[in-house]
Amino acid sequence: EAGNLVRHSLSLVHLHQSKAVALTDHLNATNPSARVRGVPVALPSSRTDVQQALASADLVLDLTASDNLLHAVPSLGLDPSTRVVSASLGLHAERLYLYADDAGTFDPAAFDTWFAPHRAGEHAAAAREGLPQAAGCWHPVTPVPGHRIQTFVGLLLDALVALAATKGPTFAVIEWPGL
């Protein structure tokens, strides 16, 4: 929808398209070395093509800002060495939260324990501003400056390079400069 395009690297030409497909096309067109495959389905899925894509993935990115995918990781049929990276933005894109681990040792409870105080802080800040509960960066009432999104996309790409080369769990918070 037009209202959330300002919070993504997509543009008006992508209106009313699947974000997974449009972003896949955008990333593959941006980098000739990229081999990005987007699958526009909710996980877990019983579709054979989705299960095959997951089984052959080297890296799984969770950019949904929902814990549902993280809690499903152990049941997705991923190769144990597949890196799973979850990234989400905090209120007003002031923070980027990263959690990564190998699929074989991925522990949703470890994420929950680490993220609980961050979640509470984000919810308290939103409440002080009078924002509806769960009004994340995707929500039309949460103003997120576009330049912060672009900056965090660049920081996330740098982090992905580092995270892909590591093993085991990683928890990180990247704050907007000057906070």
Side-chain angles (χ1 to χ4, degrees):
E1 298 297 321
N4 74 13
L5 283 177
V6 297
R7 295 177 296 278
H8 298 279
S9 59
L10 302 175
S11 67
L12 290 173
V13 300
H14 301 105
L15 266 176
H16 305 293
Q17 294 181 21
S18 159
K19 277 193 255 183
V21 172
L23 186 56
T24 296
D25 293 345
H26 177 73
L27 291 171
N28 284 322
T30 302
N31 184 339
S33 302
R35 292 184 328 238
V36 177
R37 181 171 178 203
V39 183
V41 298
L43 295 177
S45 172
S46 60
R47 285 180 31 187
T48 303
D49 63 326
V50 173
Q51 292 173 347
Q52 290 171 345
L54 288 169
S56 66
D58 298 317
L59 175 68
V60 173
L61 298 177
D62 167 29
L63 306 174
T64 64
S66 167
D67 297 346
N68 294 342
L69 179 59
L70 291 177
H71 288 269
V73 165
S75 66
L76 293 179
L78 298 169
D79 182 280
S81 65
T82 298
R83 274 310 257 173
V84 178
V85 178
S86 176
S88 62
L89 289 173
L91 183 64
H92 301 299
E94 292 180 350
R95 286 168 204 81
L96 174 64
Y97 297 99
L98 293 171
Y99 173 57
D101 201 353
D102 305 316
T105 56
F106 196 89
D107 183 2
F111 166 80
D112 290 338
T113 299
W114 169 73
F115 194 62
H118 298 292
R119 181 189 322 267
E122 294 286 343
H123 286 182
R128 284 190 299 275
E129 292 185 30
L131 294 172
Q133 187 167 357
C137 67
W138 53 270
H139 197 283
V141 302
T142 302
V144 177
H147 68 285
R148 287 190 180 184
I149 298 292
Q150 295 304 317
T151 299
F152 277 126
V153 166
L155 292 171
L156 175 59
L157 291 175
D158 284 347
L160 287 175
V161 171
L163 291 170
T166 62
K167 293 290 179 195
T170 301
F171 304 89
V173 179
I174 301 172
E175 290 197 342
W176 183 252
L179 290 179

